[in-house]
Amino acid sequence: MDAFTLEKIGFDALRLILASYCRCSLGKSQARRINPSTKPDVVRNWLGQTTQMVQALCDAGLPPTGSVADISGALDRARPPCGASGEDFSQIASTLQAVSSVREYLANLPSELDQLRAMTTRLADFTSQVQAIRAVVAPDGSVRDDASAHLGKLRRDIAKTTTEIHDVMHSYLRNPAVKKLLTSVNITIHSDRYVLPVRADNRGRLPGVVHRQSHSGQTVFVEPNASVQLNNHLVDLRDHERMEIERLLSELGVKIHTRTKAINLALAALAKIDLLGAKAQYAYQFNMTCPEIVDFPHKKSDAPRDNTGLEFFQARHPLLELQFAQKTANDAKPSQTPDAEPQHIVPIDVRLGSDFDVLIITGSNTGGKTVTLKTVALLVAMAQAGLHIPVRRGSRMPVFDDVLIDIGDEQSLEQSLSTFGAHIARLKHILSRATPKTLVLLDELGSGTDPDEGGAIGQAVMDELRRIGCGAMVSTHFSILKAYAIDHSRVDNASVEFDTRTLRPTYHLRIGTPGESHAITVASKLGLPGRVIDAARKHLGQRGGQLRRALRKTGSARRDAEEARLAAASAQLRATTQAEQLQTKMDDFAQLKGELATWLARLTEMKPGDEIFVPATGRVATLARLELHKQMAVVNAGNVQMEIPLADLMPDLGQQSVRQELTRYRKKAETQSQQLARQLAQVKEKLESAAKLERQQKEQAKRFDRWLGQIARMKIGEDIPVNAAPGRAKLTKVDLPGLRATVELPAGQVKQLSLQDLFPQDGPFAQGAEQESHSGKSRPPKTKRTAKDKPIRRGQAQGKTAKKKRQALLATEPGQKVFVIPFNTAATLVRIDQSKDRAIVLRGALEMQVAIADLEPVGY
């Protein structure tokens, strides 16, 4: 995976966090070197191992790797001819003993943890090597006296000779004549020989061998003649001792060297097991889950691809989450000031590759755009390195062959590149390496230069990303890039929310809704003069006003679709969880039934005279006979013979509660099965509803784009379709700021219409896109008009029924559905202007102005 990306997203910091959870140096070393894999099978295997280790952590605790050490250096020194010390062999023994403990830990895990249990094959049995070392070397690294008979005898002789030397030396110290010659009444050792400190001016007065003089020259160290032979003998004994120790350690080296390959294999396995333990602890502490690894789809069409691509639910940035956890632990009283940062991580829902491949994220500064990109990149890298990630269950992702990111100010003094130039250099690198299986993340695309040219470059880059077919997430402030999603398939908008009341971002990500910078709103709330604000809004309205309105109108429907999608995903997760809980309880029920069957089988094998426990009395009785036809047992309890129901003899003091528990399991299983069926039906309905809404919204967006194009190409004097009988008119005047147009009907009548009444996209006067010529002029329909193509029907404005209908309509709240009579369709009520007897309604992406008489409440 791209090294630049790993550095930018903080993967090095993640490695250090993981290393802190390791219990031995081998695991820590491996944690600091982990890298994501690009092979799906490897990633699935790694994640499966982590998942099983999390379960093992809950059931059996962590593997016992605490006493494992990196003994590679000791093994090298132990290679014949041996140069290893007793401490080296003691460390080797401790680690090899830990191999046995870890192997036993893995072997005792439940059978379903097969991936962990399989690791025992790499942990050989080193019992004989450990015993051989312990027979020679003590735990503190010293060589044992009983390591060999010869060594034992040598050490006894050394102890005896040393005692004799001490007796001789102490006899000198007790002699008053000798004591006068000494600088201190002490025995000193020089080169394994015992000597006395004699004042230099008394040199020669004590017969013996002078070994050396002190640095001050005031003392000479003399070995008295009486101890010379004893010292010589002691030196010889110690030489023999060293030779015997070297022989013993050399033999150990040979025994260890024959198993070096198996030991190295075991060390590698221990490092991996310790690393898995660290992954499991990290995942458990921060409530992480294992994402589902899916395959890349075959991209043959623009249709949505179900259950494919990347989809993270409730994703959290792991490094930020750790910072918040540490801050919460350190702060006794978290800040409650209005300007304080949020006291928790705001999770995001993000997807890529199912219904779109390119996601354009817009919104205010500090709103979380960059954090969103880094979160997605880091979670992908974590998962491909075999770690669980901080997302909700049900999240999924493919295995990317690379993750390429362009983020931050990357000025290069060495190459004399500007900020913009550095971004271009990075973009060149990204586009040269990207493949259909690459994830590309671009922060502030097109920034650092003229907005028009930057926007053009941004569009060209996204064109190239779409041509390559890779997944991409792009953050930007350019409105032209927001519109890119409307004009191109498999591209969508997203925004980071901003609270204009508090002037703070909420950090929520909204897919399907383009964001706004809110600069004018913020400036107004911060006190910029009203006339300046008004002028700014006027200037803004002259540039792309239609586009912004169109984006806002489509945003409402997209929000509804996204909420339906998330609700469906949550329902699916709940259904899956309930199914798993039901299965677990059914397994428990089956186990109870099995235990009951086993007990009954044992009971039938009992013979008269066998002892049997009677729960009712809490005592052991003697079985007299079994009366299976009565389901009774006759037992002798002391001098009393009793009949006990077989069911009351189950080896459980709460026999009645057991039967109640079995009954409860059955009833709950039936209830949950019914609930699950209903839940799945609801999920299916919601998913179908969300998919239908998505398709409708895409079609509405296409119609709106087509209408914008027709409006842009129309000319004065041109015969165009209109939403008025008989369906066509000559365009005579256009007032774009006022959203009005004047047309001349075939009968000569001049009529003023809203822009929405030109080039109708639906209804009886709609013209199909296939009827448009390349010049933008429309041709008459090829087919004859049917009855439904006749002039539009209008609502009645007079009469009791009309008055009653008007009152009901005036009581309708904005946002509710109303029926538009001329177009025979439902729409959303925006507002009612009684003074003009008009109402504004929203149909998909189109805002229409209609007479109040032409509306009626839905179902009226």
Side-chain angles (χ1 to χ4, degrees):
M1 190 170 286
D2 186 78
F4 177 89
T5 297
L6 294 180
E7 177 189 354
K8 282 298 175 183
I9 63 178
F11 197 74
D12 285 338
L14 188 77
R15 287 174 173 141
L16 295 178
I17 293 172
L18 193 60
S20 69
Y21 285 96
C22 292
R23 307 178 73 189
C24 70
S25 59
L26 290 174
K28 292 180 184 293
S29 178
Q30 193 166 100
R32 296 188 188 101
R33 299 194 308 270
I34 63 166
N35 275 304
S37 173
T38 58
K39 299 178 180 179
D41 290 342
V42 172
V43 173
R44 288 189 179 98
N45 183 54
W46 286 354
L47 287 173
Q49 291 173 344
T50 303
T51 299
Q52 292 193 6
M53 186 58 81
V54 171
Q55 184 176 341
L57 172 65
C58 298
D59 295 342
L62 288 169
T65 55
S67 59
V68 173
D70 185 1
I71 58 174
S72 55
L75 290 175
D76 289 339
R77 290 187 291 273
R79 184 184 300 118
C82 179
S85 65
E87 289 81 0
D88 288 332
F89 282 107
S90 178
Q91 191 179 58
I92 291 173
S94 296
T95 298
L96 296 184
Q97 201 162 9
V99 173
S100 298
S101 300
V102 174
R103 186 178 63 251
E104 182 180 0
Y105 166 88
L106 296 177
N108 290 331
L109 292 176
S111 58
E112 59 266 22
L113 304 183
D114 55 327
Q115 288 181 276
L116 297 184
R117 289 169 59 91
M119 292 183 182
T120 56
T121 59
R122 300 172 59 187
L123 301 174
D125 185 2
F126 301 107
T127 302
S128 62
Q129 283 72 32
V130 172
Q131 290 176 347
I133 293 174
R134 293 303 186 202
V136 174
V137 179
D140 63 358
S142 62
V143 177
R144 298 164 59 94
D145 293 345
D146 57 354
S148 72
H150 183 45
L151 181 62
K153 183 178 183 305
L154 286 173
R155 287 185 170 173
R156 287 192 295 273
D157 290 346
I158 289 173
K160 178 182 178 183
T161 303
T162 301
T163 300
E164 292 175 355
I165 294 174
H166 281 185
D167 290 343
V168 171
M169 300 299 282
H170 281 291
S171 67
Y172 277 99
L173 295 179
R174 289 193 295 269
N175 188 332
V178 174
K179 289 172 65 175
K180 295 179 181 179
L181 303 176
L182 305 179
T183 56
S184 63
V185 187
N186 291 312
I187 301 173
T188 305
I189 297 177
H190 174 71
S191 299
D192 292 337
R193 304 179 77 89
Y194 290 90
V195 295
L196 296 173
V198 179
R199 287 198 301 271
D201 55 353
N202 292 326
R203 184 171 186 164
R205 294 187 180 183
L206 179 65
V209 179
V210 177
H211 283 273
R212 68 181 179 87
Q213 189 175 18
S214 67
H215 294 296
S216 64
Q218 297 179 359
T219 302
V220 292
F221 297 93
V222 178
E223 180 184 6
N225 287 335
S227 65
V228 170
Q229 292 301 322
L230 289 173
N231 271 326
N232 288 341
H233 183 52
L234 181 61
V235 170
D236 290 341
L237 288 173
R238 285 180 171 162
D239 286 341
H240 290 306
E241 179 194 29
R242 279 192 289 269
M243 292 172 62
E244 179 64 9
I245 289 175
E246 289 174 0
R247 183 187 70 80
L248 292 170
L249 295 183
S250 181
E251 289 179 357
L252 285 181
V254 172
K255 293 178 181 179
I256 297 300
H257 181 64
T258 59
R259 303 297 305 278
T260 299
K261 184 176 180 180
I263 292 174
N264 286 330
L265 186 64
L267 291 178
L270 289 175
K272 183 171 184 178
I273 292 167
D274 190 46
L275 178 61
L276 282 174
K279 290 179 179 180
Q281 288 184 82
Y282 188 31
Y284 183 82
Q285 180 175 349
F286 288 95
N287 195 28
M288 298 182 184
T289 61
C290 179
E292 178 189 0
I293 299 300
V294 297
D295 296 326
F296 279 94
H298 297 289
K299 300 179 180 180
K300 294 183 178 180
S301 70
D302 292 335
R305 305 162 188 138
D306 295 333
N307 299 321
T308 61
L310 179 150
E311 186 160 19
F312 290 155
F313 296 106
Q314 300 293 287
R316 314 179 302 276
H317 194 291
L319 301 184
L320 291 180
E321 190 168 41
L322 178 62
Q323 291 178 10
F324 273 87
Q326 293 172 342
K327 182 178 180 182
T328 302
N330 294 334
D331 294 348
K333 295 182 179 180
S335 175
Q336 299 295 326
T337 59
D339 293 333
E341 292 294 328
Q343 296 300 312
H344 63 280
I345 295 294
V346 178
I348 60 172
D349 297 307
V350 62
R351 70 179 190 276
L352 196 68
S354 54
D355 49 339
F356 54 84
D357 300 317
V358 179
L359 185 64
I360 302 171
I361 306 175
T362 50
S364 60
N365 291 324
T366 70
K369 298 190 298 296
T370 302
V371 171
T372 296
L373 299 185
K374 286 187 174 183
T375 299
V376 172
L378 184 53
L379 297 194
V380 167
M382 286 177 65
Q384 293 188 204
L387 282 87
H388 285 186
I389 57 178
V391 295
R392 196 192 69 190
R393 281 189 61 195
S395 298
R396 65 175 186 267
M397 57 167 279
V399 174
F400 296 96
D401 61 8
D402 211 342
V403 178
L404 303 171
I405 192 169
D406 177 34
I407 195 166
D409 182 3
E410 298 303 326
Q411 277 197 12
S412 172
L413 296 178
E414 293 80 6
Q415 300 181 35
S416 300
L417 295 177
S418 65
T419 303
F420 176 72
H423 283 300
I424 294 300
R426 180 64 184 167
L427 282 175
K428 176 184 175 183
H429 173 76
I430 290 174
L431 296 178
S432 67
R433 288 190 53 172
T435 72
K437 294 184 178 180
T438 300
L439 176 62
V440 175
L441 303 127
L442 306 177
D443 192 30
E444 300 296 347
L445 178 61
S447 62
T449 187
D450 176 77
D452 291 335
E453 295 190 16
I457 291 175
Q459 293 181 82
V461 169
M462 288 194 288
D463 286 341
E464 182 65 10
L465 294 175
R466 291 177 65 245
R467 184 195 68 79
I468 294 171
C470 61
M473 296 177 63
V474 177
S475 72
T476 183
H477 281 290
F478 293 157
S479 295
I480 190 64
L481 298 186
K482 302 177 189 178
Y484 190 91
I486 297 179
D487 299 330
H488 297 83
S489 62
R490 298 200 62 78
V491 183
D492 209 342
N493 279 309
S495 62
V496 286
E497 286 186 337
F498 186 87
D499 190 334
T500 56
R501 181 181 59 83
T502 62
L503 303 184
R504 295 189 63 81
T506 67
Y507 301 101
H508 285 110
L509 182 70
R510 297 292 185 188
I511 293 178
T513 306
E516 300 182 24
S517 65
H518 300 287
I520 295 179
T521 302
V522 173
S524 175
K525 289 186 176 292
L526 292 178
L528 198 64
R531 61 181 180 276
V532 178
I533 297 296
D534 293 341
R537 295 190 189 280
K538 182 178 180 181
H539 291 309
L540 182 65
Q542 295 171 357
R543 299 180 57 189
Q546 287 280 5
L547 173 62
R548 284 189 297 276
R549 282 191 290 272
L551 292 174
R552 281 196 294 269
K553 291 170 187 174
T554 58
S556 176
R558 284 307 311 277
R559 280 194 297 273
D560 293 342
E562 285 303 312
E563 289 173 1
R565 173 187 286 272
L566 292 176
S570 297
Q572 181 66 60
L573 177 62
R574 288 195 299 271
T576 302
T577 302
Q578 288 178 357
E580 292 174 350
Q581 292 174 347
L582 175 61
Q583 185 59 49
T584 299
K585 291 174 181 177
M586 292 299 291
D587 291 343
D588 293 342
F589 174 61
Q591 183 178 354
L592 283 173
K593 289 178 65 178
E595 292 175 356
L596 175 61
T598 301
W599 178 81
L600 287 174
R602 290 176 182 171
L603 187 64
T604 57
E605 294 174 357
M606 295 187 71
K607 296 175 292 186
D610 290 345
E611 290 185 343
I612 187 168
F613 181 76
V614 182
T617 63
R619 296 181 180 181
V620 175
T622 303
L623 179 65
R625 65 182 178 275
L626 288 174
E627 298 180 353
L628 295 179
H629 62 287
K630 295 182 179 180
Q631 292 293 298
M632 301 289 288
V634 179
V635 300
N636 294 320
N639 297 323
V640 179
Q641 192 172 74
M642 298 182 296
E643 287 186 344
I644 307 294
L646 293 183
D648 291 344
L649 291 176
M650 281 188 67
D652 189 325
L653 295 177
Q655 185 54 37
Q656 183 64 28
S657 65
V658 170
R659 290 198 296 271
Q660 292 174 352
E661 183 72 6
L662 290 174
T663 302
R664 187 174 69 84
Y665 272 135
R666 293 191 188 98
K667 291 182 178 179
K668 196 163 187 178
E670 293 173 359
T671 302
Q672 287 198 336
S673 180
Q674 295 170 359
Q675 291 176 346
L676 178 60
R678 290 194 298 269
Q679 189 72 24
L680 289 175
Q682 293 173 359
V683 169
K684 183 178 180 181
E685 181 181 350
K686 288 184 178 180
L687 287 174
E688 290 175 350
S689 176
K692 182 179 179 181
L693 188 57
E694 284 284 329
R695 291 193 298 271
Q696 291 175 347
Q697 189 55 36
K698 284 288 184 183
E699 181 59 33
Q700 291 166 359
K702 289 180 181 178
R703 288 204 304 269
F704 185 73
D705 292 342
R706 187 163 58 244
W707 178 77
L708 284 177
Q710 290 169 326
I711 292 294
R713 293 192 297 269
M714 67 183 181
K715 299 177 182 178
I716 300 298
E718 183 181 16
D719 186 33
I720 62 173
V722 296
N723 201 21
R728 303 192 68 81
K730 180 190 295 184
L731 182 66
T732 60
K733 183 180 179 182
V734 177
D735 178 12
L736 288 178
L739 301 178
R740 307 292 293 174
T742 304
V743 299
E744 181 180 340
L745 299 176
Q749 179 185 1
V750 176
K751 192 169 185 178
Q752 195 175 60
L753 302 174
S754 68
L755 282 187
Q756 286 86 349
D757 288 328
L758 308 184
F759 300 99
Q761 300 299 298
D762 53 16
F765 301 111
Q767 300 292 315
E770 70 280 357
Q771 297 173 348
E772 296 177 16
S773 66
H774 294 292
S775 64
K777 296 182 179 181
S778 300
R779 298 194 298 269
K782 295 181 180 179
T783 58
K784 295 181 179 180
R785 289 187 181 275
T786 61
K788 67 178 182 179
D789 294 323
K790 292 180 179 179
I792 57 179
R793 181 169 63 91
R794 304 301 298 268
Q796 296 294 325
Q798 304 295 329
K800 293 182 179 180
T801 302
K803 183 177 180 181
K804 189 176 181 181
K805 181 182 68 175
R806 181 186 180 93
Q807 291 175 347
L809 185 68
L810 294 177
T812 302
E813 294 290 334
Q816 295 186 359
K817 294 292 184 181
V818 294
F819 188 78
V820 185
I821 297 174
F823 298 107
N824 193 34
T825 186
T828 302
L829 179 63
V830 178
R831 64 180 180 276
I832 295 177
D833 187 348
Q834 295 189 61
S835 62
K836 297 182 180 180
D837 200 36
R838 308 289 287 180
I840 304 298
V841 297
L842 185 65
R843 167 64 177 167
L846 298 174
E847 189 177 274
M848 297 181 289
Q849 186 180 77
V850 295
I852 294 179
D854 288 336
L855 297 177
E856 60 184 30
V858 172
Y860 182 78

